[in-house]
Amino acid sequence: MTEPNSARNATAPMIEMRHVEKFYGPFHALKDVNLTVAKGEKIVLCGPSGSGKSTLIRCINHLESIKSGEITVAGHRLSDSQKAVDAVRREVGMVFQQFNLFPHKTVLENCILAPMRVRGLSRAEAEATGRKYLERVRIGDQAAKYPAQLSGGQQQRVAIARALCMEPMAMLFDEPTSALDPEMVKEVLDTMVLLARDGMTMICVTHEMGFARQVADRVIFMADGAIVEENDPESFFRAPAHARTRAFLGEILHH
Amino acid sequence: MGILELTYLLQGLLWTLLLAAIGFAGGIVFGVIVALMRVSASPWLRIPAIGWIGLFQGTPLLMQLFVAYFGLPLLGFDVPAWAAVSVALTAHASAFLGEIWRGAIQAVPRGQSEAADALGLPARSRMVDVIMPQAFKLSLPATVGFLVQLLKGTSLAAIVGFIELTRAGTIVSNQIYRPLLVFGVVGAMYFALCWPLSLWGRKLEQKMAAATAK
């Protein structure tokens, strides 16, 4: 889907977190988090609420700042400098639980804003890109509508298209289906599967274990701000090593 | 009251409208600046804005008019009454509109600026393209409400001798000795301006309540 930058080492990890520590006041939100994500790899992050999984991915594009540790994205070392933050955000797309579409802009306008303002595309170029990705998420016919005129599932697909318009090297999903009515979950997951098949590097915070089985290369379980366990989906679901993982899976799979 | 007196009142009305328009236009321009300073992360911008808003919200408009009218000449600015009044009204409106818009900017859901940040939008674009259009819509009822206040507030300019609608009413009333009639007409003129604005503000508010309930 995106052309890898030839100047970059092809074997270098797309996303790397080393010894990341994060606090909210006295609350220790992330405890010595280490994570390496290869190009094209799909990671599913799960865990009970408050376990730090959303915080973890929000640190990757600096929506949250970290206390210590290192985060590198597509060769860009993240720091508090705006330049470093911009370089990382340029490469990483994000999809939110609440969609966060811009309600005063049409679907197409939502998609072209960042390409024009950040990548410097002309309106015509940005619209062509926008239409391409709206088609990709099968919502091209809604381009002229406002977000409020669409269903939740459609809005989330627009949000995915909006992120793709920046042609990112990796995508972060923060519980993308949690705010959706059950009948709309599938259309969003299908879109994400499509994206995964195209080779996008993805980190998905989700409790959709069917999705995890289908596309994840690794499933990571977090609790109390730390990574407790990670494994390929097959082993993860069949033989979880930790008691906490077993308890969690028991909770979410038995209803 | 003859045609002559009525014409005089209408002239005053025109000045009232003009003062309100100047105050409102100036208030919009400087109010945006005050609001942006007020929500800035930098204390060097934020604290002066807090002071500015506090100063004008904490003192009567009448006093602000006095200070501008008598204070500007003391500072070496020899300005006509209408200019002094305009400066005072503009400063007054910038503080109130700045505070209204500060609230509106902060009322735009956090997810909106997070989405803008995640897309890598520069701070300016995040404000201008994403936050301000939504904040403006949120602030419309309160902004219209303040316009009504400002329109009525221009009557205080009479105290420094400026002949707007209220002052014109006083003069006419002193000439024809029929204060009840004259001020009845003056009141009706204010009402004819402010009532439709108030209605408009209320309609906007209802429209927005309906939109959020959806």
Side-chain angles (χ1 to χ4, degrees):
Chain A
M1 175 157 284
T2 50
E3 290 296 313
N5 188 329
S6 56
R8 284 184 203 121
N9 187 342
T11 58
M14 182 65 77
I15 296 169
E16 188 165 32
M17 304 177 83
R18 283 166 54 139
H19 305 300
V20 169
E21 304 277 349
K22 162 85 187 163
F23 288 81
Y24 293 109
F27 179 68
H28 202 168
L30 292 179
K31 297 171 186 162
D32 190 29
V33 167
N34 290 277
L35 174 65
T36 304
V37 183
K39 179 170 164 42
E41 206 178 5
K42 291 102 185 97
I43 307 287
V44 162
L45 254 181
C46 61
S49 69
S51 60
K53 50 200 193 303
S54 285
T55 305
L56 187 155
I57 64 166
R58 289 164 59 87
C59 287
I60 294 173
N61 64 353
H62 204 266
L63 287 185
E64 307 282 350
S65 57
I66 59 175
K67 180 162 184 289
S68 62
E70 271 178 40
I71 299 176
T72 309
V73 180
H76 302 285
R77 166 80 190 276
L78 195 56
S79 71
D80 285 333
S81 91
Q82 193 59 46
K83 212 176 148 205
V85 171
D86 287 343
V88 165
R89 286 177 178 165
R90 174 69 191 72
E91 309 289 1
V92 181
M94 189 175 216
V95 174
F96 299 88
Q97 182 176 354
Q98 300 294 341
F99 328 137
N100 295 350
L101 293 176
F102 305 135
H104 59 298
K105 291 186 174 293
T106 66
V107 164
L108 188 61
E109 286 167 353
N110 264 274
C111 291
I112 66 173
L113 179 62
M116 286 172 67
R117 294 283 188 271
V118 184
R119 294 176 60 206
L121 265 52
S122 71
R123 176 169 285 267
E125 291 168 328
E127 283 188 357
T129 309
R131 289 190 193 284
K132 179 173 102 182
Y133 286 109
L134 286 172
E135 286 302 328
R136 193 65 155 273
V137 302
R138 303 200 182 103
I139 205 156
D141 51 337
Q142 314 278 4
K145 288 194 180 166
Y146 284 90
Q149 295 170 285
L150 305 183
S151 74
Q154 289 173 319
Q155 289 188 52
Q156 193 60 300
R157 284 187 284 148
V158 171
I160 294 172
R162 179 176 71 175
L164 291 177
C165 284
M166 287 297 290
E167 316 214 303
M169 303 190 74
M171 287 279 285
L172 309 171
F173 291 86
D174 190 1
E175 306 208 27
T177 57
S178 300
L180 295 174
D181 292 334
E183 73 269 22
M184 293 168 187
V185 170
K186 189 175 175 298
E187 64 185 68
V188 171
L189 290 178
D190 286 348
T191 308
M192 291 167 65
V193 170
L194 200 76
L195 203 58
R197 296 224 171 101
D198 282 341
M200 177 62 79
T201 308
M202 296 163 71
I203 303 183
C204 312
V205 173
T206 181
H207 291 157
E208 294 293 337
M209 291 303 137
F211 173 79
R213 280 178 202 275
Q214 198 180 348
V215 307
D217 296 306
R218 271 187 291 156
V219 182
I220 295 178
F221 175 72
M222 287 184 76
D224 299 328
I227 292 178
V228 173
E229 179 167 0
E230 56 177 287
N231 217 328
D232 63 274
E234 166 63 19
S235 316
F236 182 87
F237 291 114
R238 186 174 39 82
H242 283 76
R244 291 210 62 167
T245 317
R246 284 195 292 273
F248 175 75
L249 288 176
E251 284 284 318
I252 63 164
L253 295 177
H254 290 160
H255 56 235
Chain B
M1 189 162 67
I3 193 81
L4 204 69
E5 286 82 12
L6 198 65
T7 314
Y8 195 70
L9 286 185
L10 285 172
Q11 257 170 24
L13 177 71
L14 208 65
W15 275 110
T16 286
L17 279 174
L18 205 65
L19 279 185
I22 291 172
F24 201 60
I28 285 173
V29 173
F30 291 101
V32 167
I33 296 170
V34 171
L36 289 177
M37 286 172 67
R38 179 63 185 76
V39 298
S40 162
S42 156
W44 295 104
L45 295 172
R46 200 171 61 239
I47 290 168
I50 292 172
W52 182 259
I53 292 167
L55 182 69
F56 285 94
Q57 288 200 334
T59 54
L61 175 57
L62 185 60
M63 200 211 77
Q64 294 160 19
L65 287 165
F66 270 136
V67 169
Y69 184 67
F70 295 112
L72 284 176
L74 282 180
L75 289 172
F77 298 101
D78 194 13
V79 291
W82 72 266
V85 168
S86 298
V87 167
L89 286 173
T90 295
H92 175 84
S94 76
F96 277 81
L97 289 174
E99 179 64 2
I100 288 171
W101 293 337
R102 191 265 323 154
I105 286 171
Q106 289 177 343
V108 174
R110 229 172 94 89
Q112 292 292 308
S113 43
E114 286 187 350
D117 283 343
L119 285 166
L121 289 178
R124 197 189 121 89
S125 166
R126 182 186 62 209
M127 233 339 141
V128 174
D129 296 322
V130 177
I131 305 298
M132 283 187 9
Q134 298 185 60
F136 177 70
K137 216 173 135 186
L138 286 172
S139 77
L140 261 181
T143 303
V144 173
F146 177 73
L147 177 58
V148 174
Q149 293 292 326
L150 190 71
L151 221 157
K152 291 188 289 187
T154 57
S155 64
L156 292 175
I159 210 81
V160 295
F162 190 81
I163 304 171
E164 40 62 73
L165 182 52
T166 299
R167 179 83 182 143
T170 311
I171 291 168
V172 170
S173 160
N174 285 346
Q175 280 173 349
I176 64 174
Y177 304 111
R178 299 186 64 184
L180 211 60
L181 172 70
V182 173
F183 283 106
V185 171
V186 166
M189 285 177 173
Y190 276 114
F191 187 80
L193 292 177
C194 293
W195 178 241
L197 279 175
S198 294
L199 280 183
W200 184 46
R202 203 173 308 160
K203 217 170 96 182
L204 287 171
E205 208 169 319
Q206 283 165 356
K207 223 166 98 183
M208 266 176 43
T212 44
K214 194 165 68 177

